[in-house]
């Protein structure tokens, strides 16, 4: 089991606060495992087992607790009145009107409450309404490159590990499947299950999609165009030109479903000189490159945009607010803001060619502030600096704490 220390520490930072801790994320990214790891952390840090109440509401053993009042009464009967009680409710969406039980448990001063649920039922907007703003959301991603590499004992060649990370997927369970004799087939079947479940349960059912084939065509288009600036109209026109006539409204509806399910992420545009976010222009990135290879095949190329996708997800994981920048008709891949301070990132597969290096550095050189600027590539060269712009091997950067 990979020690997901970063996310465990996030949960620990909110321990015993008057907030409901909600773990969200794409299906099979490890939400239940994270709660298990956190329970172990509590037991190692002065919490007794009798203080922990853990219920997985997908387990048939708890089928009689799918009524919110029965769930509340069951937990209340187990609470220790003289101690803090740590209550874990996994897959809470299986309880009808779950907010009744959750809000009632929350107001008890000796309850520290943690919940997870299918992303289709745990959207931020709905949580704000159902839980009355009493929660903090911990957004979980599949394994980072650093976490993925940590699963292998001894020395592992980074380039090989990166290749497997892309092709085999960053979903945690694929590490176990990869060890089997028919691992590649097992992983492909597993990714197919995730993909179909997200489409059918989280999007088709929720958005009442009538034309599933049209939705799949849109997904293929987006997967094939990760990191490209596209508008809903461009998507509509491109799909219509290939014989899949679709309206802008339908595209917007499908896009919201993909983003709500956390299988895709939208990146907006930022005017660096004007210091303002722009309404036009968007890019889309996928939560896991392995899903892209599953759907489109491993011979599709575009390694540079795949690397950009990996960097995007890692910046999200590290807590940055992201946009892509425009300055003097040049593009900065990522404007990454944390605690009000921006950093700027360019990503390229290689920058050894002089012309490529000049092209990648130009937009960063045009930024006149003194905030950190980075060029990340897969070139296996020593780190260097160009007018304060740090060039770093992307895999080394991904392995940083």
């Amino acid at each position: 089991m990979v020690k997901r220390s970063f996310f465990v520490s996030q949960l620990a930072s909110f321990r015993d606060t008057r907030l409901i801790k909600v773990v969200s994320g794409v299906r099979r990214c490890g939400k239940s495992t994270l709660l298990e790891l956190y329970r172990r952390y509590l037991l190692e840090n002065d919490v007794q087992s009798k203080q922990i109440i853990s219920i997985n509401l997908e387990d048939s053993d708890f089928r009689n607790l799918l009524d919110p009042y029965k769930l509340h009464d069951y937990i209340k009967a187990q609470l220790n009145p003289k101690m803090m009680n740590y209550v874990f409710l996994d897959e809470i969406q299986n309880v009808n009107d779950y907010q009744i039980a959750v809000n009632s448990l929350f107001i008890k001063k000796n309850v520290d409450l943690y919940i997870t649920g299918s992303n289709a039922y745990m959207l931020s907007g709905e949580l704000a309404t159902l839980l009355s703003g009493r929660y903090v959301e911990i957004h979980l991603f599949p394994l980072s490159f650093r976490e993925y590499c940590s699963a292998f004992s001894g020395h592992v060649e980074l380039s090989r590990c990166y290749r497997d990370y892309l092709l085999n997927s960053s979903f945690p369970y694929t590490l176990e499947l990869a060890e089997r004799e028919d691992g590649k087939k097992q992983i492909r079947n597993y990714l197919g299950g995730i993909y179909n479940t997200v489409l059918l349960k989280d999007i088709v059912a929720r958005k009442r999609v009538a034309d599933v084939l049209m939705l799949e065509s849109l997904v293929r288009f987006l997967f094939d165009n990760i990191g490209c600036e596209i508008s809903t109209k461009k998507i509509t026109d491109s799909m219509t030109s290939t014989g899949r006539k679709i309206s802008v409204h339908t595209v917007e509806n499908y896009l919201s479903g993909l983003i709500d399910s956390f299988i895709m992420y939208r990146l907006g545009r930022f005017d660096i000189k004007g210091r303002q976010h722009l309404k036009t222009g968007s890019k889309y990135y996928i939560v896991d490159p392995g899903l892209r290879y599953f759907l489109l095949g491993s011979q599709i190329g575009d390694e540079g945009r795949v690397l950009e996708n990996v960097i995007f997800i890692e910046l999200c994981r590290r807590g940055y607010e992201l946009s892509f920048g425009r300055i003097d008709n040049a593009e900065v891949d990522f404007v990454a803001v944390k605690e009000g301070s921006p950093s700027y990132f360019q990503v390229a597969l290689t920058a050894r060619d002089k012309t490529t290096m000049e092209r990648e550095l130009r937009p960063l050189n045009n930024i006149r502030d003194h905030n950190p600027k980075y060029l990340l590539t897969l070139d296996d060269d020593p780190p260097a600096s160009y007018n304060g712009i740090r060039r770093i091997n992307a895999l080394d950067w991904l392995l940083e704490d």
Side-chain angles (χ1 to χ4, degrees):
M1 187 181 295
V2 176
K3 298 178 181 179
R4 312 209 63 181
S5 304
F6 176 80
F7 294 105
V8 170
S9 65
Q10 277 194 304
L11 286 173
S13 70
F14 290 103
R15 176 182 169 183
D16 297 339
T17 58
R18 298 297 298 151
L19 291 166
I20 302 163
K21 275 64 74 173
V22 180
V23 180
S24 66
V26 70
R27 288 179 181 270
R28 301 294 174 257
C29 68
K31 297 186 288 290
S32 299
T33 301
L34 176 62
L35 292 191
E36 181 182 344
L37 290 168
Y38 183 62
R39 288 193 292 271
R40 293 183 187 181
Y41 165 85
L42 291 175
L43 292 171
E44 293 168 358
N45 288 270
D46 303 320
V47 173
Q48 301 175 46
S49 58
K50 64 182 180 181
Q51 292 176 258
I52 296 175
I53 302 169
S54 180
I55 300 172
N56 186 330
L57 291 155
E58 281 192 331
D59 190 333
S60 295
D61 288 344
F62 298 110
R63 61 187 178 275
N64 61 322
L65 301 181
L66 300 185
D67 175 274
Y69 299 102
K70 291 180 179 179
L71 176 64
H72 172 268
D73 292 345
Y74 174 82
I75 294 172
K76 182 181 177 182
Q78 296 189 63
L79 295 178
N80 188 320
K82 298 180 180 180
M83 309 177 80
M84 178 61 75
N85 298 267
Y86 298 90
V87 178
F88 296 85
L89 302 176
D90 207 1
E91 302 295 348
I92 189 66
Q93 82 282 348
N94 288 308
V95 178
N96 293 323
D97 298 320
Y98 68 84
Q99 71 276 8
I100 295 172
V102 170
N103 283 324
S104 182
L105 290 169
F106 166 79
I107 63 176
K108 302 182 189 307
K109 293 183 179 180
N110 64 333
V111 170
D112 194 20
L113 187 56
Y114 301 80
I115 66 175
T116 76
S118 169
N119 40 293
Y121 298 89
M122 303 291 285
L123 305 180
S124 296
E126 293 180 1
L127 286 172
T129 300
L130 297 176
L131 303 183
S132 307
R134 298 165 166 175
Y135 71 98
V136 60
E137 187 174 3
I138 308 296
H139 188 64
L140 185 64
F141 294 88
L143 299 178
S144 69
F145 181 64
R146 185 170 182 266
E147 289 173 326
Y148 189 86
C149 292
S150 73
F152 301 94
S153 57
H155 175 74
V156 179
E157 185 181 352
L158 281 185
S159 59
R160 171 65 182 273
C161 196
Y162 179 69
R163 187 196 70 179
D164 290 346
Y165 180 69
L166 299 183
L167 294 178
N168 290 348
S169 163
S170 60
F171 284 100
Y173 188 55
T174 60
L175 283 168
E176 182 175 330
L177 294 177
E179 296 178 355
R180 301 187 180 187
E181 185 176 346
D182 57 347
K184 290 188 181 299
K185 181 180 178 181
Q186 294 272 5
I187 288 172
R188 183 168 181 80
N189 291 337
Y190 180 69
L191 292 178
I194 294 174
Y195 173 77
N196 289 321
T197 301
V198 169
L199 252 65
L200 296 177
K201 286 193 174 181
D202 294 350
I203 303 174
V204 171
R206 187 177 183 84
K207 293 292 183 177
R208 299 178 182 176
V209 174
D211 191 341
V212 179
L213 292 178
M214 182 71 80
L215 173 62
E216 289 189 307
S217 294
L218 173 63
V219 172
R220 285 180 176 273
F221 179 86
L222 292 172
F223 280 22
D224 196 31
N225 288 276
I226 55 171
C228 296
E229 184 176 354
I230 48 179
S231 64
T232 50
K233 186 178 186 307
K234 182 178 180 180
I235 295 171
T236 302
D237 292 344
S238 295
M239 292 182 64
T240 300
S241 69
T242 60
R244 303 292 299 176
K245 187 173 177 58
I246 188 171
S247 69
V248 171
H249 173 74
T250 300
V251 168
E252 290 174 344
N253 186 46
Y254 290 177
L255 283 173
S256 69
L258 289 164
I259 292 168
D260 288 345
S261 68
F262 302 123
I263 198 171
M264 298 293 299
Y265 291 81
R266 178 187 174 275
L267 185 68
R269 188 153 63 103
F270 182 75
D271 178 5
I272 296 174
K273 275 193 172 180
R275 314 303 296 177
Q276 61 180 334
H277 291 277
L278 303 176
K279 293 183 179 179
T280 58
S282 298
K283 293 184 178 184
Y284 295 90
Y285 295 94
I286 188 171
V287 69
D288 168 63
L291 282 175
R292 183 174 187 260
Y293 287 117
F294 158 77
L295 194 63
L296 303 183
S298 59
Q299 306 302 318
I300 55 177
D302 300 324
E303 291 89 350
R305 286 194 286 122
V306 172
L307 175 63
E308 184 181 318
N309 197 123
V310 171
I311 299 301
F312 169 80
I313 294 296
E314 180 61 23
L315 286 167
C316 290
R317 182 183 286 108
R318 295 183 187 186
Y320 287 95
E321 295 179 13
L322 298 176
S323 54
F324 69 97
R326 289 285 189 183
I327 183 166
D328 298 334
N329 295 318
E331 182 177 302
V332 177
D333 290 331
F334 301 118
V335 179
V337 179
K338 184 184 285 188
E339 298 177 354
S341 180
S343 298
Y344 306 97
F345 292 83
Q346 286 290 84
V347 182
L349 194 65
T350 178
R352 283 177 172 162
D353 177 76
K354 182 179 179 181
T355 302
T356 304
M357 177 67 78
E358 290 175 351
R359 184 183 69 241
E360 296 296 338
L361 293 178
R362 188 178 302 117
L364 296 176
N365 278 319
N366 289 342
I367 301 172
R368 300 306 178 189
D369 66 38
H370 299 289
N371 292 298
K373 303 175 182 70
Y374 302 92
L375 172 59
L376 303 179
T377 77
L378 286 183
D379 295 328
D380 190 15
D381 298 327
S385 180
Y386 307 89
N387 296 324
I389 301 168
R390 296 178 59 196
R391 177 174 58 77
I392 306 173
N393 177 271
L395 301 188
D396 290 340
W397 181 83
L398 288 167
L399 291 175
E400 292 177 0
D401 288 336

